[in-house]
Amino acid sequence: MQPLTTTAAVSRRMSRQRSRNTEVEVLLRKELHRAGLRYRVHRRPLPGLRREADVVFGPARVAVFVDGCYWHGCPEHATWPRTNADFWRTKITRNQERDRDTDRKLIDAGWMPVRVWEHEDPAAAARRVAEVVRQRQPVPKV
């Protein structure tokens, strides 16, 4: 792979990209909270798995990931950059492979991964997540 060529402006813009507590993430969490759900944020669902979910529902074993359209190659909104194209295609493809591997490992361990795209309506995404969480919540012991 060739060395990256970039400008100071691009470098500055990319360094300001948040990886946690993004606007979409916060809006989703507010909707989940409004729906009466309680959760943990930025946790590793599985010990030894060096991947963090954005929202975790421990007892229900649901891990929610809010994926950025650019970084995760959204089928609707992803664009392939012309500058440093090989680097970015490789990076985004690896992100997608890691996402699939994470989902597979979580499912094998009895968890349900839920992927939310950044372009999704937060209220609709929260309803989808809430449905999964409520279906998987353990039955209270009487």
Side-chain angles (χ1 to χ4, degrees):
M1 201 178 314
Q2 296 178 344
L4 291 179
T5 57
T6 190
T7 65
V10 169
S11 182
R12 218 174 14 260
R13 186 174 66 244
M14 295 304 267
S15 71
R16 288 194 311 258
Q17 292 292 318
R18 296 182 72 136
S19 62
R20 25 171 57 194
N21 298 321
T22 63
E23 182 181 358
V24 177
E25 235 180 270
V26 171
L27 291 172
L28 175 66
R29 291 193 320 237
K30 284 181 180 181
E31 291 293 334
L32 291 168
H33 194 272
R34 188 175 295 137
L37 297 174
R38 300 302 176 255
Y39 47 82
R40 302 279 187 217
V41 296
H42 304 292
R43 296 287 171 106
R44 292 180 181 175
L46 297 176
L49 182 64
R50 292 189 53 219
R51 296 169 194 167
E52 200 175 79
D54 298 307
V55 180
V56 176
F57 297 91
R61 299 184 117 196
V62 175
V64 181
F65 299 87
V66 180
D67 293 339
C69 291
Y70 177 80
W71 300 105
H72 295 267
C74 168
E76 287 183 49
H77 301 107
T79 57
W80 296 107
R82 289 187 291 270
T83 306
N84 299 315
D86 289 340
F87 170 83
W88 287 111
R89 186 169 292 275
T90 300
K91 169 91 173 128
I92 293 167
T93 300
R94 282 186 186 150
N95 287 349
Q96 292 170 327
E97 290 168 358
R98 187 186 61 240
D99 292 344
R100 285 189 296 274
D101 181 62
T102 299
D103 291 352
R104 200 169 26 256
K105 287 179 178 176
L106 287 171
I107 290 168
D108 290 348
W111 283 74
M112 175 60 69
V114 177
R115 298 270 169 189
V116 175
W117 287 107
E118 72 175 333
H119 67 263
E120 286 186 64
D121 172 59
R127 284 191 299 274
R128 185 164 55 90
V129 170
E131 184 178 323
V132 172
V133 170
R134 289 191 175 113
Q135 287 174 355
R136 294 179 55 90
Q137 280 180 331
V139 177
K141 295 179 181 175
V142 182

